[in-house]
Amino acid sequence: QTERRRMFKSPPEILITTPESLNLLLSSASGRNVLMNLKTVILDEIHSIMGSKRGVHLITAVDRLILLSGEFQRIALSATIKPLKTVAEFIGGYRLDKKKYTPRKVEIVRSIVEKKYDVKVCYPEEAASQPPEESIWHPLVKKFKEKIDHNRSTLLFVNSRRLCETLTLKINRGESKPLAYAHHGSLSKEIRKTVEEQLKAGELKAILATNSLEMGIDIGSLDEVLMVQAPPTISSAIQRIGRAGHQIGVISKGGIYPTHNQDFLEAAILAKAIVEGDIEEVRPIRNPLDLLSQIVISMVGTEVWDIDQLYAQIKTSTPYHELSRKEFDLVTDMLAGRYTNSRIRDLKPRVSIDKLDNTIQARKGALLVLYMSGGTIPDRGYYQLRYQESSAKIGELDEEFVWEATPGQTFNLGSQNWKIERITHNDVFVIPASPKAMATPFWKGESRDRDYHFSMKIADFLEEADQELNEDSFLEKLITQYSMETLAAKQLLIFLKKQKEITKSDLPHRHHLLVEITATGPGMAPGNQVVLNTCWGGSLNRPFAMALDAAWEKRFGSKLEIFSANDCIAFLLPHEVSADEILSLVNEGNVEELLRERLEGSGYFGARFRECAGRSLLLPKNKLNQRMPLWMSRLRSQKLMESVLKYEDFPILLEAWRSCLQDDFDIRNLKLMLNELSTGVIRWSVTRTERPGPMAQSITTGQISEYMYKTDQLEGARSSSLNRDLLRDVVFTPGLRPTLSKQSVENFECKRQRRFPGYSPSSPLELLDWVKERLLLPESEWSDIL
């Protein structure tokens, strides 16, 4: 805070900030003073946020800087992004002059120096020779230690914080001093900075990181990057391996270490794509209405705006350039209290609109809500992990992990053992524990759906493999063209041959969908399970599964137990149905209609609505720096959603739909696949097996996990037919409700009617807003207020 006050008094020549902090600076008078007279704005690593709402938050803030500084030079940087024309349009935005919008001219500067990579898909010899039931981690850890010992500095990337901590613990086990430190978003920035500096200074041999070290941080010269499991996207893989040889003309060296059968397939495709630089296209977010709520409150919180000019200014940003006036009015009307009759406190007015002057301004307390709950990253309700002696922040813990923890328990985080001293509603206080190997904490996060581009590269490879699998030259092809070590290539061959052997069918690929009917359900339980091996990726498979579920219910009157993953969709059939009939349920023409019927009632939609409501400031925290438990956010979100379902134009409900159908799902390419399926471009075949084939087994873990955490609630059950009189006589006891005094009731009514001391409107504008909310006031109440 002291440094911040000093900065406000004497603005720096260079300010390095984040989208969230930039928006907070724009929302305060002192912060706006810092941002005047800007000459240059540099947007580093633009690819990391351009395809998300965080990117919208950033670029709208940059466009608002024009109002303070006039035009300035914009520079956006990225090593892994395309198409460049789309990026240029996003960065440039529009000039507004007399109601005319003119796109800014943006020069595209592209390096002609070709970056070279030395990448291999690796598999330890010890792992290849051990029985299949043995754990892969022992030989992998042994290999990683050899690499760390051989290199001066090594960076290992993993795909989750839990694996980061677990693998760090395994690597350091039995060593006299730690070989490697963990680095991820749930460790405090001070700890992460210390780890980076130690690696750069040569005091540390290795770091295990999530995507927290993918971009832009100077950690010195790296000898090699090891990727444990295939990264989620091609651009992510290039960013990771690019951390080694991070200089002009230097070859970036790295290895991908698969940990399961499907991983070998994805790793092979990634390795080839890295060398070729064949990355996916970014899809910018358009017109997010939840974020628009924050932007409006931020803009009208510091000055009064003419509402038409406010709309025109927001349209200067590329993400909102096509924003319709109707959508804008829906958001501003919501913020002005249009839906307060739902009796949900969180829908109370945040802004005041004067129809006579055509102006809009923030109400008292609106900016405070923005400061407490603003931003675009969904709040997971993490506990703060703090050192007992000084309360210094060490990191963050998942609330489910803390719920299961007790004082006295020890765990390993950031290469250090900690003992829990006490747990509060907000924090977990710890002290250093004895250097015994302990368990690591866990964090729950949503799995990422694989995109269409990466999925089609896998599907094309499988079509190629289906024809060449038994040829001697195919192994050599995997080694030379797909950068696989011999042992890794042989593991992939074994996996693909086993798939064909068990299913007695061609591999599923770009032009072949395999319908697998098995006599067992998840975990070898009895059942009649169907698996559609599509290879389409989660961004297509998820909406396809929802549409199948809706179509099944429409035709047969019952819901399916259906599960989707990146490579397949599995469901348990209540009765025998032909594959031809199953695949005819959903087509290019009815898929959107079926999604309308199914999406809103899904847990996926509920999660998206909760996130959108949070960004819209409809689920604000009660106090600054106080955590809102995730379970409480879910309950509040469900209550809010139930209350607004009756409205035909509630903007955040609309935004939840837009987020699913445009940001998360790839409906355009799903329609393409369904069209090719119906016209025969994609053929399909049926096979019957005793248990799911190797490719279908990837979905089994997810199925069992879903069953594991299900409650005893009956699916679709509403209420029983028990006799009401019998329930009253046997179960319910009268007189449990406490009585309230008459004075308490009267005081409450006075406060609600703004007639109680301290509750009356404090300005003419507040009085006007109150009259508009009440519509009609008895003369006696009006006199008391005045």
Side-chain angles (χ1 to χ4, degrees):
Q1 292 297 331
T2 305
E3 292 179 7
R4 192 167 293 157
R5 283 193 295 269
R6 192 184 306 131
M7 180 183 74
F8 289 154
K9 290 180 181 178
S10 178
E13 292 185 14
I14 298 173
L15 175 66
I16 303 174
T17 187
T18 64
E20 294 78 14
S21 295
L22 178 57
N23 274 275
L24 288 178
L25 287 171
L26 283 167
S27 305
S28 69
S30 56
R32 288 159 64 88
N33 289 334
V34 174
L35 298 171
M36 290 182 176
N37 304 315
L38 291 172
K39 292 186 175 64
T40 308
V41 173
I42 300 174
L43 310 176
D44 196 15
E45 307 288 8
I46 190 64
H47 66 274
S48 65
I49 58 174
M50 185 176 156
S52 68
K53 291 182 180 180
R54 199 166 181 233
V56 178
H57 207 204
L58 171 65
I59 203 64
T60 50
V62 170
D63 288 324
R64 288 169 60 191
L65 292 172
I66 298 292
L67 303 172
L68 302 175
S69 294
E71 291 291 337
F72 47 77
Q73 176 72 57
R74 306 180 187 204
I75 301 172
L77 305 172
S78 176
T80 52
I81 197 166
K82 74 174 190 181
L84 295 182
K85 183 181 177 183
T86 301
V87 182
E89 291 171 354
F90 179 84
I91 298 304
Y94 295 80
R95 287 189 176 95
L96 177 60
D97 183 25
K98 298 178 181 179
K99 298 183 179 181
K100 182 181 179 182
Y101 294 94
T102 306
R104 290 184 181 85
K105 185 180 179 182
V106 180
E107 295 289 345
I108 297 174
V109 180
R110 185 173 185 173
S111 170
I112 60 171
V113 177
E114 184 181 349
K115 181 65 178 176
K116 295 186 177 180
Y117 302 95
D118 177 9
V119 58
K120 290 290 183 184
V121 181
C122 311
Y123 194 58
E125 187 174 350
E126 185 178 332
S129 59
Q130 70 181 16
E133 63 272 11
E134 291 291 324
S135 171
I136 183 69
W137 293 112
H138 176 72
L140 275 180
V141 168
K142 186 177 178 181
K143 185 69 175 178
F144 296 153
K145 285 188 175 185
E146 291 174 3
K147 288 280 187 180
I148 292 170
D149 183 60
H150 176 266
N151 295 332
R152 188 194 68 84
S153 58
T154 308
L155 180 57
L156 294 91
F157 278 107
V158 296
N159 293 334
S160 71
R161 287 164 290 182
R162 184 173 193 173
L163 181 55
C164 181
E165 288 290 343
T166 303
L167 195 53
T168 303
L169 180 64
K170 289 178 181 295
I171 288 174
N172 290 333
R173 184 173 290 159
E175 300 294 330
S176 57
K177 65 177 184 177
L179 289 177
Y181 284 165
H183 188 293
H184 54 78
S186 286
L187 288 167
S188 72
K189 62 182 181 181
E190 291 81 11
I191 290 178
R192 297 199 304 268
K193 185 178 180 181
T194 300
V195 170
E196 295 159 16
E197 289 174 348
Q198 287 187 359
L199 186 75
K200 186 177 180 180
E203 299 169 8
L204 181 64
K205 293 276 288 180
I207 293 180
L208 279 95
T210 56
N211 58 0
S212 59
L213 269 180
E214 265 185 25
M215 301 170 297
I217 302 164
D218 182 14
I219 53 175
S221 176
L222 282 171
D223 295 332
E224 192 172 5
V225 167
L226 310 179
M227 291 175 276
V228 186
Q229 299 177 345
T233 63
I234 298 169
S235 57
S236 175
I238 291 177
Q239 283 288 338
R240 292 180 180 190
I241 195 171
R243 303 304 291 146
H246 203 218
Q247 298 91 26
I248 295 173
V250 179
I251 297 174
S252 294
K253 182 180 179 182
I256 307 175
Y257 287 80
T259 62
H260 54 84
N261 286 333
Q262 190 74 22
D263 213 10
F264 283 95
L265 175 59
E266 294 189 8
I269 307 306
L270 275 174
K272 188 172 189 288
I274 289 171
V275 174
E276 296 173 350
D278 187 3
I279 62 174
E280 59 280 334
E281 292 188 359
V282 68
R283 292 193 301 169
I285 306 292
R286 302 289 183 182
N287 303 329
L289 301 183
D290 52 353
L291 196 54
L292 183 60
S293 297
Q294 283 192 46
I295 295 167
V296 168
I297 289 176
S298 176
M299 294 179 75
V300 304
T302 51
E303 58 184 312
V304 180
W305 275 82
D306 177 273
I307 200 163
D308 294 332
Q309 291 179 1
L310 178 66
Y311 171 62
Q313 177 60 36
I314 288 172
K315 280 170 63 72
T316 61
S317 292
T318 304
Y320 288 110
H321 189 62
E322 302 300 328
L323 179 72
S324 70
R325 184 57 190 256
K326 182 178 180 181
E327 291 171 312
F328 174 79
D329 288 341
L330 283 177
V331 172
T332 54
D333 288 347
M334 176 190 73
L335 294 175
R338 178 182 174 188
Y339 304 100
T340 51
N341 61 352
S342 63
R343 298 184 179 275
I344 296 292
R345 180 185 175 188
D346 298 324
L347 289 172
K348 67 182 183 181
R350 304 288 183 194
V351 303
S352 295
I353 297 176
D354 190 326
K355 296 289 186 181
L356 295 178
D357 293 340
N358 199 41
T359 58
I360 179 172
Q361 61 180 296
R363 285 195 175 201
K364 187 166 59 178
L367 278 180
L368 180 60
V369 173
L370 181 69
Y371 298 149
M372 291 195 299
S373 306
T376 59
I377 302 171
D379 185 8
R380 297 288 304 180
Y382 290 143
Y383 278 80
Q384 304 297 309
L385 180 67
R386 297 188 181 277
Y387 186 51
Q388 171 73 16
E389 302 301 324
S390 63
S391 294
K393 183 179 175 182
I394 299 169
E396 296 174 329
L397 294 175
D398 189 279
E399 68 177 16
E400 286 195 35
F401 173 77
V402 177
W403 182 258
E404 297 174 2
T406 56
Q409 181 177 330
T410 56
F411 62 92
N412 184 283
L413 176 69
S415 308
Q416 167 71 51
N417 289 322
W418 303 100
K419 179 182 176 183
I420 298 175
E421 289 291 291
R422 60 191 177 97
I423 301 172
T424 70
H425 66 286
N426 224 50
D427 306 292
V428 178
F429 291 90
V430 295
I431 60 173
S434 60
K436 269 176 67 175
M438 295 293 172
T440 54
F442 62 82
W443 296 265
K444 281 196 170 182
E446 290 187 356
S447 59
R448 181 167 179 171
D449 289 337
R450 195 174 65 217
D451 63 75
Y452 177 77
H453 177 79
F454 189 8
S455 298
M456 287 303 103
K457 294 189 79 63
I458 293 173
D460 288 338
F461 168 81
L462 287 172
E463 186 168 15
E464 182 183 319
D466 192 53
Q467 301 298 320
E468 304 175 16
L469 196 57
N470 293 319
E471 296 179 9
D472 295 336
S473 60
F474 191 64
L475 176 63
E476 185 61 28
K477 188 175 186 178
L478 291 177
I479 295 170
T480 55
Q481 295 185 24
Y482 291 89
S483 304
M484 302 190 81
E485 289 184 349
T486 303
L487 286 177
K490 287 181 177 179
Q491 286 297 124
L492 179 56
L493 280 177
I494 291 170
F495 171 59
L496 297 178
K497 287 180 178 179
K498 192 173 181 181
Q499 167 70 19
K500 295 191 75 167
E501 178 187 338
I502 291 177
T503 61
K504 299 179 178 62
S505 174
D506 293 342
L507 294 174
H509 55 68
R510 175 63 181 85
H511 296 101
H512 175 226
L513 188 152
L514 178 62
V515 182
E516 197 173 334
I517 302 175
T518 67
T520 56
M524 301 303 291
N528 185 27
Q529 183 170 226
V530 174
V531 179
L532 305 181
N533 292 272
T534 63
C535 304
W536 293 352
S539 60
L540 275 68
N541 280 346
R542 191 185 296 273
F544 186 29
M546 288 182 180
L548 275 172
D549 189 15
W552 179 277
E553 186 174 14
K554 183 179 285 189
R555 182 170 298 186
F556 298 108
S558 61
K559 293 186 69 173
L560 282 173
E561 292 185 54
I562 193 162
F563 310 87
S564 66
N566 281 321
D567 296 291
C568 50
I569 298 169
F571 44 92
L572 298 172
L573 289 182
H575 52 81
E576 188 74 26
V577 178
S578 68
D580 185 47
E581 187 168 9
I582 291 171
L583 294 176
S584 69
L585 290 173
V586 180
N587 55 58
E588 181 187 9
N590 69 0
V591 62
E592 287 188 349
E593 178 189 344
L594 292 169
L595 279 172
R596 287 193 192 102
E597 295 177 12
R598 178 59 71 238
L599 180 59
E600 210 165 67
S602 68
Y604 189 88
F605 183 88
R608 289 296 170 270
F609 178 83
R610 170 173 50 81
E611 292 172 2
C612 293
R615 291 191 196 96
S616 306
L617 307 179
L618 299 183
L619 303 174
K621 296 178 181 177
N622 295 324
K623 292 182 181 179
L624 197 64
N625 297 326
Q626 185 180 57
R627 65 179 288 269
M628 173 68 71
L630 185 57
W631 62 266
M632 189 179 292
S633 295
R634 285 173 174 151
L635 289 176
R636 289 177 64 190
S637 174
Q638 289 167 7
K639 185 178 180 181
L640 175 65
M641 186 172 169
E642 287 171 2
S643 69
V644 301
L645 284 174
K646 61 188 176 186
Y647 299 117
E648 61 180 22
D649 58 0
F650 189 70
I652 306 310
L653 210 53
L654 185 65
E655 174 58 23
W657 275 93
R658 194 208 61 77
S659 295
C660 290
L661 295 183
Q662 294 184 13
D663 301 348
D664 298 346
F665 302 161
D666 190 346
I667 303 300
R668 181 175 66 87
N669 283 314
L670 174 58
K671 285 184 174 182
L672 173 65
M673 295 294 102
L674 292 173
N675 174 268
E676 291 188 2
L677 192 61
S678 62
T679 56
V681 175
I682 297 176
R683 65 182 178 89
W684 57 270
S685 62
V686 181
T687 185
R688 292 185 177 272
T689 58
E690 287 297 316
R691 57 183 180 180
M695 287 187 173
Q697 286 174 7
S698 63
I699 202 170
T700 304
T701 304
Q703 286 178 281
I704 295 174
S705 294
E706 191 159 329
Y707 283 123
M708 183 78 71
Y709 294 103
K710 269 191 174 182
T711 65
D712 293 325
Q713 178 183 343
L714 292 177
E715 294 290 336
R718 293 290 179 182
S719 59
S720 70
S721 300
L722 275 174
N723 184 282
R724 290 178 178 270
D725 293 334
L726 188 61
L727 278 171
R728 182 196 62 205
D729 295 340
V730 176
V731 180
F732 293 100
T733 305
L736 288 180
R737 193 173 200 168
T739 57
L740 294 173
S741 69
K742 183 178 180 182
Q743 186 62 45
S744 297
V745 174
E746 289 176 354
N747 287 346
F748 177 75
E749 284 296 321
C750 285
K751 290 176 181 178
R752 291 280 293 169
Q753 294 169 4
R754 308 292 288 271
R755 295 187 290 119
F756 199 81
Y759 284 77
S760 59
S762 59
S763 68
L765 187 58
E766 280 194 23
L767 180 61
L768 177 63
D769 287 331
W770 178 244
V771 172
K772 285 194 292 186
E773 287 177 22
R774 290 293 302 275
L775 297 180
L776 293 172
L777 281 174
E779 187 177 353
S780 59
E781 284 187 30
W782 176 257
S783 300
D784 289 343
I785 291 174
L786 294 179

